[in-house]
Amino acid sequence: MTTDKIRIKDVAALAGVSVGTVDRVLHCRPNVSEEARAKVEKALKEMDYRPNVYASALAYNKKYTFCCIMPKHASEAYWEEIEEGAMAACDKRRDFHVKVKMFYYRRYDIDTFVAVTEDCLKEKLDGVVIVPSRLAETKAFTDKLHASSIPFILLDSYMPDLRPLSFFGQDSFCSGYFAGRMLMLVAQQSKEIMLMKQMKNGNVASKQQENRETGFRHYMHDHFPEINIIEVNLPLDLEREKYEDILENYFSEHPDTHHCITFNSKAHLVGDFLLRTNRRNVQIMGYDMVEKNANCLKLGSISFLIAQHGYMQGYSCIETLFEAIVLRKKVNPVNYVPIELLTKENVDFYRRTQL
């Protein structure tokens, strides 16, 4: 008898137990004696039984709720790509009654993260995708998920001590090191480089940005220690009209700055300023293929963008939860996404929905 023709009742007959007992063993349900479980497992091994978990899950007709916790964002932002990818994965698995609920927190407001995690726990959850906030508050939430046996995936920032089911994102240190290497292909003669940051209370938005900067500074220390790296902060709590004054003062005082780098998705803030003031001798390395960055790339004020495949990350997080929870498959614990370099020559060939 071929393995695809083996039926549960055949396993039950060989094991000398009821069909219901075999079903409980296959689906890891309780109320099975150790003796009966051993008989079933022996029969399954002898018959080389491989259940069709996809069909079984479909027939079970259960509903699944996955929650995504991410920063509140505007349209055309990096996070929107992630959200679109997550919803596309949900749509793909609609036959399994998969639902994805979004929860948003303000990036620099810890209280909003705590509030949305509390709201999330009020749901009947099967799995969670988390863009982490500060470690302590994130751990307080994930400890509760572990206590309730709810699997979760970390997105954007990897915190292995939290013991996630899986992680999706770039190797941020390597990404920053790579960014430095690519920038210096065109900036070898520079005396100084501007590092644009957006901070609040002395902090950038994520651990990922910190690690990118660390990787960049390691590259510069190893290969171009003589070049001065000058930080410029465009504070997040400042009106955007004030940014122009900050940038005008900087470039007036630093005429030798011809290259800029930033590790967030707002390179266009400097790019737009350069275009408005007709400063064509300054080039920028930035992150994320959002529309405003892409426009600056095409117009020449941004030289390079490092893309993260946000859509792919969002899609993969939901698909991984589905495979682990519904299909009971083993999943990869760490999934680093590609570090891809975009220029004005290839940006039109980059697709947000590429998988």
Side-chain angles (χ1 to χ4, degrees):
M1 185 180 293
T2 59
T3 57
D4 60 341
K5 297 295 185 181
I6 297 173
R7 298 164 299 179
I8 290 180
K9 70 177 185 178
D10 299 320
V11 179
L14 180 60
V17 299
S18 70
V19 169
T21 297
V22 176
D23 184 73
R24 285 193 291 275
V25 171
L26 288 173
H27 293 92
C28 301
R29 298 191 185 108
N31 302 321
V32 180
S33 70
E34 289 302 316
E35 181 183 3
R37 187 180 301 278
K39 289 180 179 179
V40 172
E41 289 175 349
K42 181 181 179 183
L44 290 170
K45 185 175 181 180
E46 288 179 3
M47 301 178 78
D48 194 22
Y49 176 77
R50 298 185 184 124
N52 186 335
V53 291
Y54 192 94
S56 177
L58 190 59
Y60 192 52
N61 205 32
K62 184 186 173 188
K63 294 180 180 180
Y64 300 90
T65 298
F66 301 148
C67 291
C68 290
I69 299 175
M70 66 171 58
K72 187 177 178 64
H73 56 271
S75 62
E76 293 297 336
Y78 164 66
W79 302 112
E80 186 182 35
E81 290 192 43
I82 288 177
E83 188 170 347
E84 289 176 359
M87 298 313 296
C90 175
D91 184 62
K92 176 186 176 183
R93 299 302 187 179
R94 61 184 179 275
D95 289 346
F96 291 85
H97 309 291
V98 171
K99 178 173 65 174
V100 174
K101 299 193 70 172
M102 297 291 175
F103 292 81
Y104 306 101
Y105 65 92
R106 291 196 292 274
R107 200 71 196 247
Y108 288 91
D109 189 338
I110 297 299
D111 291 340
T112 64
F113 179 81
V114 173
V116 299
T117 56
E118 290 175 352
D119 289 342
C120 183
L121 288 170
K122 295 174 184 176
E123 301 286 332
K124 187 177 180 181
L125 299 175
D126 294 287
V128 186
V129 178
I130 310 168
V131 177
S133 181
R134 201 164 57 188
L135 177 60
E137 285 73 16
T138 304
K139 185 176 186 302
F141 176 50
T142 58
D143 283 349
K144 293 176 183 176
L145 295 177
H146 280 302
S148 300
S149 299
I150 299 172
F152 64 90
I153 292 176
L154 294 181
L155 176 63
D156 187 60
S157 296
Y158 187 31
M159 299 177 177
D161 290 346
L162 301 184
R163 297 176 290 125
L165 170 71
S166 189
F167 162 75
F168 284 88
Q170 285 187 342
D171 182 322
S172 48
F173 179 91
C174 289
S175 178
Y177 198 93
F178 173 80
R181 184 176 181 184
M182 293 300 100
L183 177 66
M184 296 315 296
L185 291 177
V186 296
Q188 292 185 15
Q189 304 306 315
S190 294
K191 297 179 181 179
E192 58 192 27
I193 291 174
M194 170 185 159
L195 170 56
M196 189 276 276
K197 302 172 77 168
Q198 286 203 290
M199 296 187 289
K200 187 172 182 178
N201 299 325
N203 299 309
V204 295
S206 69
K207 189 68 176 177
Q208 186 189 57
Q209 288 184 33
E210 291 180 13
N211 290 341
R212 289 171 183 168
E213 182 179 339
T214 299
F216 167 72
R217 288 186 179 276
H218 269 263
Y219 178 82
M220 296 301 293
H221 177 270
D222 292 344
H223 301 281
F224 296 93
E226 73 283 2
I227 293 180
N228 190 22
I229 300 171
I230 306 173
E231 292 189 13
V232 175
N233 179 29
L234 302 182
L236 278 167
D237 53 358
L238 199 65
E239 294 179 1
R240 291 185 61 164
E241 290 75 14
K242 300 289 186 180
Y243 295 164
E244 188 147 340
D245 294 336
I246 295 173
L247 293 171
E248 183 62 51
N249 289 337
Y250 174 83
F251 285 110
S252 296
E253 294 173 3
H254 297 86
D256 290 331
T257 295
H258 300 293
H259 294 89
C260 168
I261 191 167
T262 184
F263 299 107
N264 58 43
S265 61
K266 300 295 182 66
H268 61 83
L269 294 177
V270 183
D272 288 339
F273 170 81
L274 297 177
L275 292 172
R276 287 195 305 272
T277 57
N278 201 31
R279 284 181 167 90
R280 298 289 179 173
N281 62 343
V282 181
Q283 297 292 304
I284 308 169
M285 162 73 80
Y287 273 77
D288 299 330
M289 214 292 285
V290 298
E291 183 178 15
K292 291 179 179 179
N293 283 346
N295 289 339
C296 288
L297 192 68
K298 293 176 183 179
L299 292 172
S301 62
I302 294 178
S303 296
F304 304 109
L305 286 174
I306 293 180
Q308 299 187 75
H309 279 295
Y311 183 98
M312 180 182 72
Q313 291 185 55
Y315 184 98
S316 298
C317 284
I318 299 302
E319 183 67 7
T320 297
L321 283 178
F322 173 82
E323 291 182 350
I325 297 167
V326 182
L327 301 186
R328 301 179 182 275
K329 289 185 177 180
K330 289 185 178 180
V331 298
N332 292 329
V334 179
N335 302 273
Y336 288 123
V337 300
I339 302 171
E340 297 190 340
L341 194 67
L342 302 181
T343 68
K344 64 181 179 181
E345 289 79 17
N346 69 352
V347 67
D348 285 335
F349 303 104
Y350 178 83
R351 294 290 181 267
R352 295 175 70 180
T353 57
Q354 183 178 350
L355 294 175

